[in-house]
Amino acid sequence: MDNPNHSAEQARFDAIIAAEEKIEPRDWMPEKYRRNLVRQISQHAHSEVVGQLPEGNWITRAPTLRRKATLLAKVQDEAGHGLYLYSAAETLGVSREQMVDDLLAGRAKYASIFNYPTLSWADVGAIGWLVDGAAIVNQISLCRTSYGPYARAMVRICKEESFHQRQGYEIMQTLAAGSTGQKAMAQDALERWWWPTLMMFGPHDAESAHTQQSMQWKIKRQSNDELRQKFVDQTVEQARHIGLEIPDPALRWNEERGHYDFGEIDWDEFQRVLNGNGPCNRQRIGARREAHEQGGWVREAMLAHADKQRRRAAGRAA
Amino acid sequence: MSKQHLPLWEVFVRSRRGLDHKHIGSLHAADAEQALLAARDTYTRRQEGVSIWVVRSSDIHASQFEDEGAFFEPAADKIYRHPTFYDVPEELKL
């Protein structure tokens, strides 16, 4: 702090943030701002990548060709979103290999929601409707984040994400209008996914380790509780419209607040899943490791092919 | 006198913080530093930008116009990648 250049840089950084401008990769930034962003963006990227697994489970068992094509396209999008986000994190000086290693070694976190199993076809609908719905609420807010490459990735992702939620709701709507058994399947999926979805927004503001600093730096623009409330408010109507019941006896409209009140999340479950002991944590990381190892020969072959082309070109030139 | 030509550079300008660099044109220069100065003098005389990238044109690899049909074809019939493909009530803000 006694370095005059440093405080001039700090003042410039603060001014950019205060003016609602974006910080760009080559700007000076506080080391903690950089580390905070690397943590958040890489966790976000890992979530997109691991998020392919629960839905991937149903690609071969989708009930119609239309649903299968849609699910394939959605899972493909998630892979793309992971790529946008890893690239944004790489502008902060962290390598892709390091981030992938951290995930595979179990050092990195990802959204705990993806540690729950997809037991029926209705779960694919519930994930699109609820999990992607919650992700959209969060990501729309992040389009205004203070780091330029992250904000731009969010804008692209939000544009693509809209179909994910709509296809999920369409599945739920179809099941809810179907036979008694189909409607029960949709209701069961809603009951299993509702609370884990609310957990996606993270701990209460007072308990959240990073919220205050992240809000000051405008990395986060709205708090966990604000975003969670926004999601609940918009989702209640959607459930009602297709005659499904949200599994929360405390859920009721609060005229005074102009919002829905809702029950307390089981935070013990949240911590348990976050700390690696959810229903599918080991399975998810195991699947990622296996995919990474089994894809090794493809990466090697790509390098060998490029090397061969270079040698051939050099041979022709000689 | 040298017969060596000055190499071609492609110029990308960020018009303001928060936006992507966009291709704006090209110029000839002997090295990156000269290319940046020339780009500033050529393309940002009226405050068009806050940041410039220059890239050797020979380092840019592009898809071929004549291949456009085959190259981009796989996307044309996948209308289910668009939100409007799904039949959900508009009033629900999905």
Side-chain angles (χ1 to χ4, degrees):
Chain A
M1 264 302 170
D2 7 69
N3 178 347
N5 288 333
H6 177 81
S7 51
E9 284 165 332
Q10 177 77 51
R12 183 169 151 68
F13 172 86
D14 292 344
I16 292 171
I17 299 280
E20 292 284 324
E21 301 248 344
K22 304 295 182 205
I23 303 295
E24 294 293 349
R26 296 190 182 202
D27 292 335
W28 181 90
M29 61 187 84
E31 180 55 22
K32 278 189 185 160
Y33 175 84
R34 194 189 71 83
R35 278 210 303 267
N36 200 321
L37 275 171
V38 168
R39 181 187 53 78
Q40 180 169 332
I41 302 173
S42 61
Q43 281 180 15
H44 199 158
H46 297 325
S47 302
E48 298 284 353
V49 170
V50 178
Q52 296 175 91
L53 297 171
E55 291 179 297
N57 187 34
W58 282 90
I59 290 175
T60 55
R61 286 174 280 168
T64 66
L65 187 57
R66 181 184 190 271
R67 295 287 188 221
K68 184 188 285 215
T70 293
L71 189 53
L72 264 171
K74 178 179 190 301
V75 171
Q76 189 182 24
D77 274 0
E78 309 297 0
H81 296 174
L83 174 69
Y84 304 161
L85 286 158
Y86 281 130
S87 304
E90 284 174 282
T91 65
L92 293 157
V94 59
S95 73
R96 179 81 57 99
E97 291 73 16
Q98 182 64 54
M99 289 185 278
V100 171
D101 279 355
D102 285 347
L103 175 66
L104 299 185
R107 285 187 297 267
K109 287 188 175 132
Y110 55 86
S112 62
I113 189 92
F114 300 120
N115 292 311
Y116 289 84
T118 40
L119 303 178
S120 80
W121 169 250
D123 288 24
V124 174
I127 289 178
W129 172 34
L130 301 173
V131 178
D132 289 277
I136 291 171
V137 167
N138 185 38
Q139 290 173 164
I140 284 178
S141 179
L142 285 172
C143 288
R144 292 167 53 236
T145 190
S146 59
Y147 187 56
Y150 192 25
R152 292 190 286 277
M154 282 300 109
V155 171
R156 265 196 303 279
I157 288 175
C158 283
K159 232 181 258 174
E160 298 179 359
E161 198 88 58
S162 165
F163 111 64
H164 297 184
Q165 196 194 13
R166 289 168 67 101
Q167 66 84 34
Y169 189 77
E170 196 191 65
I171 290 172
M172 294 302 263
Q173 185 175 247
T174 306
L175 288 170
S179 68
T180 316
Q182 286 168 331
K183 184 165 183 181
M185 196 196 277
Q187 178 63 34
D188 170 63
L190 169 58
E191 286 174 17
R192 281 181 294 105
W193 290 94
W194 176 253
W195 291 105
T197 301
L198 295 193
M199 293 176 199
M200 283 174 70
F201 295 97
H204 283 310
D205 298 345
E207 318 282 324
S208 173
H210 304 286
T211 290
Q212 209 195 352
Q213 181 63 78
S214 289
M215 299 273 282
Q216 268 172 18
W217 278 328
K218 298 183 184 172
I219 293 174
K220 269 169 94 159
R221 305 310 310 257
Q222 286 168 294
S223 75
N224 296 353
D225 286 327
E226 278 176 87
L227 294 167
R228 187 163 21 233
Q229 182 73 60
K230 198 170 171 211
F231 171 76
V232 170
D233 288 347
Q234 73 183 36
T235 309
V236 170
E237 269 321 298
Q238 296 165 358
R240 193 167 290 157
H241 187 84
I242 49 177
L244 295 182
E245 199 180 332
I246 290 175
D248 179 358
L251 185 75
R252 63 178 58 83
W253 179 250
N254 183 326
E255 192 66 53
E256 210 175 300
R257 294 201 308 125
H259 292 291
Y260 281 94
D261 289 338
F262 53 98
E264 194 53 72
I265 287 167
D266 179 351
W267 294 108
D268 289 339
E269 177 180 330
F270 174 73
Q271 287 302 337
R272 204 161 55 239
V273 179
L274 204 62
N275 292 331
N277 297 310
C280 301
N281 295 57
R282 287 165 198 78
Q283 198 183 327
R284 298 297 183 230
I285 290 299
R288 281 310 311 149
R289 279 197 199 123
E290 194 184 325
H292 192 72
E293 280 161 22
Q294 290 183 358
W297 72 270
V298 179
R299 294 187 292 275
E300 270 173 45
M302 287 167 75
L303 286 167
H305 176 75
D307 190 47
K308 186 177 77 182
Q309 297 298 323
R310 261 195 303 276
R311 276 186 281 112
R312 279 195 185 158
R316 273 197 300 274
Chain B
M1 213 164 71
S2 165
K3 287 254 169 77
Q4 206 186 342
H5 294 295
L6 294 175
L8 189 63
W9 300 76
E10 299 302 321
V11 181
F12 299 81
V13 170
R14 185 201 296 288
S15 59
R16 63 179 175 83
R17 284 173 175 280
L19 299 183
D20 290 305
H21 287 78
K22 281 237 162 65
H23 186 247
I24 194 165
S26 50
L27 49 78
H28 289 268
D31 63 20
E33 197 187 345
Q34 289 177 21
L36 275 174
L37 293 175
R40 177 199 61 190
D41 296 344
T42 309
Y43 292 111
T44 61
R45 291 195 303 277
R46 291 173 186 79
Q47 294 180 294
E48 285 92 338
V50 295
S51 166
I52 299 175
W53 286 349
V54 289
V55 181
R56 282 280 290 262
S57 305
S58 57
D59 285 337
I60 290 182
H61 301 267
S63 59
Q64 301 299 312
F65 280 122
E66 53 269 32
D67 296 342
E68 187 189 322
F71 196 72
F72 295 105
E73 186 277 333
D77 61 347
K78 293 178 174 55
I79 48 171
Y80 48 83
R81 284 175 175 161
H82 297 278
T84 45
F85 181 72
Y86 301 93
D87 189 17
V88 299
E90 288 314 314
E91 69 272 18
L92 291 179
K93 293 181 207 148
L94 283 152

